[in-house]
Structure formats: structure tokens, C-alpha cells
Amino acid sequence: MINSFVHSQPPEAIVMVRPHYFVSNPETMADNAFQRTIHTESASESAYDEVTRAVDILEAVGVTVHVFEDTSNATPDSVFPNNWFSTHHHGTLVKYPMYAPNRRQEYRQDIMDYLTEEYDYSHIVDLRDAANQHEFLEGTGSIVFDHRNKVAYAAASKRTHERLFYSLCESIGFQGVLFDAADENGIPVYHSNVLMCISSQFVMIGMDMVAPKDRERLYSLFEQGGLTVIELSHQQIRNFCGNAIELKGRAGRLLALSLTAFHALTDSQKTIIQQSNILLPLAVSTIESAGGSVRCMIAGIHRRIE
């Protein structure tokens, strides 16, 4: 049974991290089919500029963006802060166990301290020690949260541990829905948020990649949640159409996505989206070479609701 609509799907604000040294992470290459090798000084400059331009565009349309700098050369994926923490409306901040050892160095106590003070997160769930037992759960990469209906969706992979997932869902009052998904070659989807995006009114998902045994259950949950289903092709998933996020702007709800994804959507898909959201494409092609796109670059800040 899905919970009553209580909470807002788009976050009140977002966190982004601007990298000063950007490369494609060799420790995540093996299981991230979206990743390409890139190790040049110009890539660092381009990634820095892409974040800067994205922040400017987001702030210009009324999105509250908290930007933090990363000057370390030991954290190649720091531009993707959504994987190591998440926030929730009941005043909970969750810290996650990361699969790649060098990604565990992305944890920033200064960011945690800022958010705790600014947004009054009184309940901290710290799962990071699970990495010592080789159990991993990578934030809103592993989990796509439907905040309005309090349902959490996760594609099973070595980065998404079943026990941890269900335990977290129980602790924050979400219904956990674990499913299997793979590409045309049978390779499991490494992160759920490249496969699907949930907004207030619709869900974009590569349903052909979801295991046939799980599709009916997902369709049923989407229908119960009042979500229009926009099905994405394999090619659209490769172009990061599933890696988008709904945000709050000055003029209403926005769907932030990459320029790559925007061009890959069909006109009819854009029409459905634009019934409830303004499309906001961001040019992040250099960052996409690391295997993530706009959704991965954004950690949502959900304000505490008593």
C-alpha cells in the first residue's frame, strides 16, 4: 500500500561539487558501461567549466545551489556527490558505503556540518562501516526515491546490497522495491538512476532493461502513485535520458537533464514532460565521460517537515 502524498518530490535546494582535478575513475571502469577513459588536463578544465555554467543556469532560474570546491587529486568522482549522502523530509541525513575505495575519500565533514546546521538534520544514519564487510549502497545512484509516495526503487547490483537497502527503507519509512535490470548484453545496470527518473507527475524508465518478472509490479506501483510512464529505449538510456532530476525553480518545476539527453528525447516525450515541467538542458559532455550525468551531479536537499 503506497503512503498518502505528503512530501514534495523536488528538493528545496541542491548540493554540487566543482572538481579541480577531473579524470575518469579507473576503480569504477570495470562495471560502469557508461564510462570512457579520459585523462587530460583539458578535461579537468572542461569539467570545472561545465559545473560552473550549470550552477549559473540553475541559479538563474531560481534553484538554490550550494556549491563546494574539491581541490583534491585523489577523488576523481567528487563531481557526483549524490552517491555518498542523501537527505529526507523527516530530518534524516544518510551517509552511504561506497564500492570503490577512492570514492570513500569523497566524504566531506564540512558539507555534513553545513547541512546539519543550515537544515536542522537531527537524525544521522551512517552506513559507511558496511563497506568493511563488502556491503555497498551508493545513495541516490543506487536508490531512486519517490518522496511523494514514500517508495524507494533500486536495481540489484554489487553496488546495491539487498539487506542494506531494505534496512534503510525500514528506518526512513519507505517501501523498498528491489528489481533486476540489465542492458542488451546481460550486464546488470550499475546504478538505478541511469535507468529511471521519478518526478511529481511522471517516471522515465528503460523498462526493456527491467527483468520481465519485475515489470508488472513496477507498472502497478507507478499507476498507484499517479505517475505517467515515459518508456526510454536502450539508446536513450545510453544517452543519459534516465539520469535527470526534478527541481524547484522560480517559475515552477524543472526537469534538469543533460544536453545529450535532451537531444535524445523524442518530441512526443518532451510534450509529456512539458505538461508539468520546464525542460532545462545542461551541457556536461566531459563529465558524462566519467559515466554519470546531471542527476549524478546533484545531491538533493529535502527540508525537514515536522
Side-chain angles (χ1 to χ4, degrees):
M1 179 73 178
I2 290 181
N3 295 276
S4 300
F5 296 171
V6 175
H7 299 143
S8 169
Q9 180 63 18
E12 296 290 334
I14 64 174
V15 164
M16 298 182 72
V17 175
R18 182 162 37 209
H20 291 238
Y21 298 93
F22 174 84
V23 296
S24 188
N25 188 352
E27 292 189 12
T28 59
M29 186 73 73
D31 71 329
N32 185 340
F34 294 78
Q35 194 172 335
R36 306 188 305 276
T37 301
I38 182 168
H39 296 280
T40 65
E41 184 176 338
S42 63
S44 288
E45 295 173 358
S46 295
Y48 181 96
D49 290 341
E50 286 175 1
V51 173
T52 300
R53 287 194 296 269
V55 170
D56 289 344
I57 291 169
L58 290 164
E59 290 184 333
V61 296
V63 177
T64 300
V65 186
H66 302 296
V67 187
F68 295 86
E69 306 295 329
D70 177 40
T71 59
S72 171
N73 60 7
T75 49
D77 280 336
S78 64
V79 72
F80 303 134
N82 78 304
N83 297 129
W84 61 267
F85 80 95
S86 69
T87 65
H88 302 272
H89 292 101
H90 37 61
T92 297
L93 188 152
V94 184
K95 304 175 186 179
Y96 292 92
M98 306 289 284
Y99 173 72
N102 66 3
R103 293 217 62 191
R104 297 169 204 165
Q105 299 180 53
E106 295 172 29
Y107 298 114
R108 293 271 297 271
Q109 191 58 46
D110 60 326
I111 296 178
M112 298 294 92
D113 291 344
Y114 176 83
L115 295 179
T116 300
E117 181 176 352
E118 185 74 11
Y119 293 97
D120 191 28
Y121 292 110
S122 58
H123 182 213
I124 308 299
V125 178
D126 193 342
L127 305 175
R128 290 178 293 172
D129 283 348
N132 296 327
Q133 283 73 52
H134 305 287
E135 297 177 358
F136 311 106
L137 191 64
E138 298 197 330
T140 55
S142 289
I143 308 169
V144 177
F145 289 103
D146 180 348
H147 293 278
R148 293 171 67 246
N149 295 302
K150 299 184 77 173
V151 182
Y153 296 91
S157 77
K158 61 185 178 183
R159 301 195 192 194
T160 302
H161 189 272
E162 180 176 354
R163 181 193 65 79
L164 278 181
F165 170 64
Y166 283 123
S167 175
L168 173 64
C169 289
E170 182 178 1
S171 71
I172 63 175
F174 274 66
Q175 175 185 348
V177 180
L178 191 71
F179 60 93
D180 292 322
D183 65 15
E184 307 100 310
N185 300 313
I187 299 173
V189 173
Y190 83 104
H191 269 166
S192 311
N193 75 357
V194 298
L195 176 73
M196 64 185 294
C197 159
I198 291 179
S199 79
S200 302
Q201 301 296 324
F202 59 84
V203 52
M204 301 164 64
I205 183 169
M207 194 62 86
D208 286 346
M209 300 174 76
V210 175
K213 65 180 177 61
D214 293 321
R215 292 174 191 169
E216 184 177 350
R217 177 174 52 145
L218 294 188
Y219 280 128
S220 176
L221 287 166
F222 297 152
E223 182 179 4
Q224 291 177 56
L227 298 172
T228 298
V229 178
I230 300 173
E231 298 207 16
L232 302 173
S233 68
H234 288 273
Q235 184 62 35
Q236 288 178 317
I237 293 296
R238 283 192 291 271
N239 282 291
F240 296 102
C241 291
N243 199 241
I245 181 171
E246 185 179 57
L247 303 174
K248 289 181 180 178
R250 195 175 297 108
R253 292 193 297 263
L254 311 163
L255 188 71
L257 73 171
S258 73
L259 193 60
T260 305
F262 177 82
H263 289 314
L265 291 172
T266 67
D267 289 342
S268 60
Q269 289 170 331
K270 290 176 183 176
T271 297
I272 295 171
I273 293 167
Q274 289 171 321
Q275 290 173 1
S276 58
N277 290 72
I278 299 168
L279 281 161
L280 188 70
L282 304 170
V284 294
S285 59
T286 303
I287 292 169
E288 286 179 329
S289 70
S293 188
V294 169
R295 176 62 187 95
C296 298
M297 296 167 61
I298 291 173
I301 304 304
H302 294 272
R303 191 180 297 273
R304 179 173 182 169
I305 298 173
E306 297 296 342

